[in-house]
């Protein structure tokens, strides 16, 4: 038996409709998007437009024209960061960031393109908006921040952060990798100018999908970072400026995006408030089961907070986190989580878990049930008897 609790890496299982949509796109459509006028090609164009509309609706985006598709959350973040930043600018991010933000910024800094400041986070991953106000410089152009930590599940006060960025006339890029599909997101209310996220986590699409949303403020300033065929304006050697073509050269992952469409449909049917309620119910179930099993004497734990996303990080005195992951995956009831730094090295410095090589993380998704957590806690408890 397999208890999959690594939904912060990618959600699994997906709703049945997602598998069917991928299969249909491969088996029945077959053709590429924007590269022909066959009936199948037109069905794909309609599906893509609908998907842009659904995603814009989900986050209260101003228009489907601001929704672009990418290979993963990392590609969406890199498209935004490299597309926005100009020589001599200053960028601010937080210690809670994933390497898909930290590494592009470090690369730009190493090339003497930018200077950057990393705001500290507290021991749960939360960043104080006052620190952002203090770090802002006259040449600061961009603030990048994740909505929820992939290590502790803590949710940032993005509305307060967004208000500061807008007051200073900068741009705010939100990494919604751990919240898209899980929590209500209103980019207008959060004053968020760009939002990046994977399609394969909370949105329930297949691996190989990601989304970048650009507001009206961001649309005129993000340049293309890769150039190539778009199936449009082919007589010109210049990358078309129109969106989405500006940021979507090369053939799109049509089967993946068809699956993402089915995933987003599923999310819309189940509604974000209901999915959030399900996640909060699982967080309280985890806390209750944790207390009952008296695991606190053996494991330190972060996350599964009542207002956080469904992520918990554990640290044992007796087992290294990789050892814990391997042992749990080999029990008759296999519990699957993820050990290590979770691509968020500075977050582990803030938690004090970097020296130990990180934590063992368990994370739940829309299709996880209370019984999965009961079985996971029972297996964990069996290691300390
Ligand atoms: C907070 C955060 N940002 C960005 C990413 C990168 O997303 P992807 O794996 O789709 O590249 C992840 C993935 O784990 C993440 O947790």
């Amino acid at each position: 038996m397999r208890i999959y609790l690594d939904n912060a890496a990618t959600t699994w299982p997906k709703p049945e409709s997602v598998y069917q949509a991928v299969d249909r796109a491969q088996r029945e459509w077959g053709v590429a998007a924007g590269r022909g006028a066959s009936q199948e090609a037109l069905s794909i164009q309609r599906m893509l437009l609908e998907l842009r509309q659904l995603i814009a609706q989900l986050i209260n985006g101003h228009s489907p024209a601001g929704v672009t598709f990418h290979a993963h959350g990392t590609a969406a973040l890199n498209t935004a960061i490299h597309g926005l930043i100009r020589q001599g600018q200053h960028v601010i991010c937080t210690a809670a960031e994933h390497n898909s933000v930290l590494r592009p910024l470090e690369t730009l800094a190493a090339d003497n393109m930018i200077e950057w400041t990393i705001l500290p986070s507290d021991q749960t991953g939360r960043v104080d908006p006052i620190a952002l106000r203090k770090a802002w410089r006259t040449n600061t152009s961009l603030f990048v921040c994740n909505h929820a930590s992939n290590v502790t599940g803590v949710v940032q006060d993005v509305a307060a952060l967004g208000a500061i960025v807008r007051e200073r006339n900068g741009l705010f890029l939100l990494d919604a990798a751990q919240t898209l599909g899980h929590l209500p997101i209103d980019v207008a209310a959060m004053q968020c100018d760009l939002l990046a996220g994977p399609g394969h986590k909370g949105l329930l699409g297949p691996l190989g999908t990601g989304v970048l949303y650009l507001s009206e403020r961001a649309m005129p300033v993000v340049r293309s970072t890769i150039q190539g065929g778009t199936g449009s304006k082919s007589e010109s050697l210049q990358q078309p400026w129109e969106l989405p073509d500006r940021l979507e050269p090369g053939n799109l992952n049509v089967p993946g995006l068809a699956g993402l469409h089915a995933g987003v449909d599923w999310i819309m049917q189940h509604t974000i408030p209901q999915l959030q309620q399900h996640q909060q119910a699982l967080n309280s179930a985890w806390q209750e089961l944790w207390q009952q099993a008296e695991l606190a004497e053996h494991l330190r734990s972060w996350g599964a907070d009542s207002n956080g996303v469904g992520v918990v990080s554990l640290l044992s005195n007796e087992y290294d986190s990789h050892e814990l992951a391997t042992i749990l995956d080999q029990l008759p009831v296999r519990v699957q989580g993820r050990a290590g730094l979770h691509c968020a090295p500075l977050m582990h410095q803030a938690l004090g878990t970097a020296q130990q090589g990180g934590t063992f993380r368990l994370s739940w998704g829309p299709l996880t049930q209370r019984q999965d957590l009961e079985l996971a806690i029972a297996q964990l408890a069996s290691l300390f008897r």
Side-chain angles (χ1 to χ4, degrees), residues 3 22 27 33 46 54 67 71 78 102 146 194 284 286 347 384:
I3 309 293
V22 175
R27 211 180 286 280
R46 266 196 301 278
L54 287 174
V67 176
N78 271 262
L102 298 172
N146 71 27
L194 302 102
S284 8
W286 175 269
M347 188 64 228
F384 299 100

Side-chain angles (χ1 to χ4, degrees), residues 8 72-74 77 98 100 146 148 150 175 177-178 198 200-201:
H72 30 64
T74 302
L77 284 162
H98 189 272
S100 51
N146 71 27
N150 63 321
D175 175 0
Q178 297 300 336
H200 62 93
K201 300 192 203 250

Side-chain angles (χ1 to χ4, degrees), residues 111-159:
D111 287 346
N112 292 319
M113 275 285 290
I114 59 158
E115 288 184 350
W116 61 316
T117 301
I118 303 170
L119 303 182
S121 68
D122 68 12
Q123 283 216 335
T124 64
R126 201 167 276 110
V127 171
D128 183 354
I130 293 169
L132 174 61
R133 203 181 281 281
K134 287 191 184 148
W136 202 274
R137 299 185 194 166
T138 48
N139 64 336
T140 307
S141 58
L142 177 67
F143 173 58
V144 194
C145 171
N146 71 27
H147 193 181
S149 161
N150 63 321
V151 179
T152 63
V154 77
V155 177
Q156 302 291 353
D157 186 354
V158 282

